[in-house]
Amino acid sequence: MDSATLSYSILCDDVRLEAGHKLSLMGVFQNVYVPKFPAAVIKFAVVNHWEGQGVFQTEVRILNPHRKETVRSTPGRFAIASPGPADNITFFTNVTFDEPGSYALQIFLSGDLVRESSFSVMSIPAPPADTVN
């Protein structure tokens, strides 16, 4: 019987596959800082590490701070050939965040919500114009 358990999820700027099938995660983060809203983030990834066996449909969904609108949803599919681990990587490009707040990150497996976490999107004030570096 096909089954999988989500061990962890990591947000990062990019993922590379290195020699020996090792993943390199660049720019691991929990918060996004932008100069103003609305703000577009050009690229980021969600790395999900699964344990189990089988072929699965997955979806990674981002909800706005009010949890009433889906900012972005990306479906996918992955397989774990034999009992063991598998990494499923979802890339997001050109995601617009309309307002500051705590955005929900939801991970679905075969239509069922298996994990929900959050990340904050915040503005950082621009430095004063008369500041000398």
Side-chain angles (χ1 to χ4, degrees):
M1 182 173 160
D2 291 351
S3 68
T5 302
L6 182 60
S7 298
Y8 59 81
S9 293
I10 298 174
L11 288 148
C12 59
D13 292 326
D14 199 7
V15 180
R16 296 186 191 138
L17 183 60
E18 306 288 352
H21 296 283
K22 296 176 189 173
L23 292 180
S24 287
L25 309 181
M26 277 59 69
V28 174
F29 65 88
Q30 187 61 36
N31 300 309
V32 176
Y33 298 96
V34 298
K36 63 179 181 171
F37 289 93
V41 176
I42 295 171
K43 179 182 177 184
F44 65 95
V46 177
V47 179
N48 290 314
H49 184 81
W50 301 90
E51 299 280 341
Q53 183 174 1
V55 178
F56 306 95
Q57 298 291 325
T58 185
E59 180 184 2
V60 179
R61 190 181 296 170
I62 300 169
L63 301 179
N64 74 349
H66 307 288
R67 305 181 56 81
K68 296 192 187 286
E69 294 179 24
T70 300
V71 174
R72 185 70 61 90
S73 176
T74 303
R77 181 180 166 103
F78 72 98
I80 308 173
S82 61
D87 293 305
N88 175 247
I89 302 164
T90 303
F91 287 100
F92 289 92
T93 57
N94 299 316
V95 177
T96 299
F97 296 101
D98 291 329
E99 61 185 310
S102 180
Y103 286 75
L105 177 68
Q106 296 179 326
I107 312 299
F108 291 84
L109 184 69
S110 301
D112 295 325
L113 179 65
V114 294
R115 176 161 303 155
E116 183 173 307
S117 59
S118 63
F119 63 97
S120 295
V121 181
M122 301 176 265
S123 63
I124 53 171
D130 59 349
T131 301
V132 176
N133 290 333

